[in-house]
């Protein structure tokens, strides 16, 4: 099966074309990744087109789409999900959402209990915990790294990966691995069982974990003096 993988839940604008077959790991054919937290909207679609061209494939060749569902910031996360949804509808292809930390855990493949922590800004991290087999055991959550550090003994993790884990390595005090952002292979690996089974995809629900900063006005604002 030929799968398009996209993710915009981190500063990495990620798109890749991946070949997926039973009983073998996902095989990357082409990818485009740019670290730019402010250019998801401008870069994602060109990245998708460039990856398909490099792989020698077209949109019509795709069998499925996998998209990172976060957690992540509102603006960036919406770009990936909206793009994947639009492509899925236009091509009549299934779109499978995966938690972005699940993809990073697949990339790390440490074989040990693992913490995945990405940068949530505001001096916080998005985090999830995984067992030695890579199954998520807790999360995802958003939390201050100091508060997360207090929970680590109960989580049973000794290793950490992700940009948030790197930024707050001194606070978390865990062995640091190198998987900072989700790869196309990791995204597809996280959804492989569903894709290969041609299962009905889950709803494309973004994992924001926070309320938006913008709020609706509660009343009409006075513009003249009393």
């Amino acid at each position: 099966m030929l799968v398009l993988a996209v993710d915009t839940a981190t500063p990495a604008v990620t798109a890749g074309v991946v070949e997926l077959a039973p009983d073998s790991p996902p095989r990357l054919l082409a990818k485009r990744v740019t670290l730019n937290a402010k250019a998801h909207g401008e870069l994602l679609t060109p990245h998708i087109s460039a990856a398909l061209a490099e792989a020698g494939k077209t949109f019509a060749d795709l069998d499925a789409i996998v998209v990172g569902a976060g957690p992540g910031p509102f603006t960036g996360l919406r770009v990936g999900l909206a793009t994947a949804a639009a492509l899925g509808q236009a091509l009549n292809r299934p779109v499978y959402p995966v938690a972005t930390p699940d993809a990073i855990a697949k990339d790390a493949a440490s074989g040990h209990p693992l913490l995945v922590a990405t940068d949530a800004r505001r001096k916080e991290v998005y985090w999830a915990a995984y067992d030695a087999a890579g199954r998520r055991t807790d999360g995802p959550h958003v939390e201050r790294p100091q508060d997360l550090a207090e929970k680590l003994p109960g989580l049973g993790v000794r290793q950490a990966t992700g940009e948030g884990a790197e930024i707050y390595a001194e606070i978390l005090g865990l062995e640091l691995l190198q998987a900072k952002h989700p790869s196309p292979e990791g995204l597809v690996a996280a959804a492989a069982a569903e894709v290969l089974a041609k299962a009905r995809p889950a709803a494309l629900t973004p994992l924001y974990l926070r309320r938006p900063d913008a709020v609706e006005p509660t009343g009409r604002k006075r513009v003249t003096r009393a």
Side-chain angles (χ1 to χ4, degrees):
M1 300 182 71
L2 194 68
V3 184
L4 173 68
V6 299
D7 188 278
T8 56
T10 75
V13 185
T14 299
V17 181
V18 178
E19 193 173 69
L20 182 63
D23 303 320
S24 62
R27 185 170 74 91
L28 180 69
L29 302 184
K31 70 177 180 180
R32 290 291 186 276
V33 179
T34 299
L35 293 178
N36 190 330
K38 297 182 179 180
H40 294 100
E42 293 83 357
L43 294 178
L44 183 59
T45 298
H47 277 15
I48 292 171
S49 298
L52 283 168
E54 182 180 328
K57 305 294 183 179
T58 69
F59 285 106
D61 296 319
L62 297 173
D63 295 299
I65 300 167
V66 172
V67 58
F74 284 78
T75 302
L77 189 51
R78 281 198 299 265
V79 170
L81 287 166
T83 301
L87 286 173
Q89 184 174 26
L91 300 170
N92 193 27
R93 299 292 189 273
V95 181
Y96 295 90
V98 299
T100 298
D102 291 359
I104 298 175
K106 292 291 186 182
D107 289 328
S110 71
H112 299 281
L114 178 70
L115 176 78
V116 175
T118 60
D119 184 16
R121 306 175 188 174
R122 305 181 192 174
K123 298 182 180 181
E124 293 180 326
V125 294
Y126 298 119
W127 68 269
Y130 299 82
D131 63 17
R135 294 183 292 258
R136 183 163 16 117
T137 58
D138 205 339
H141 305 288
V142 59
E143 202 157 16
R144 295 170 63 247
Q146 294 88 345
D147 296 333
L148 172 57
E150 295 178 0
K151 298 179 178 179
L152 292 179
L155 294 174
V157 296
R158 297 291 182 271
Q159 297 177 325
T161 196
E163 188 177 25
E166 183 177 276
I167 294 171
Y168 300 105
E170 292 187 7
I171 295 174
L172 297 176
L174 300 173
E175 178 189 350
L176 192 63
L177 305 182
Q178 297 302 311
K180 290 175 62 175
H181 308 292
S183 72
E185 306 98 295
L187 290 160
V188 173
E194 295 173 277
V195 174
L196 289 169
K198 299 182 179 180
R200 182 173 182 176
L204 293 178
T205 303
L207 297 171
Y208 289 133
L209 302 190
R210 281 187 182 138
R211 294 183 61 82
D213 292 329
V215 295
E216 293 184 11
T218 57
R220 184 169 295 180
K221 187 176 181 181
R222 172 172 282 179
V223 295
T224 59
R225 293 184 179 179

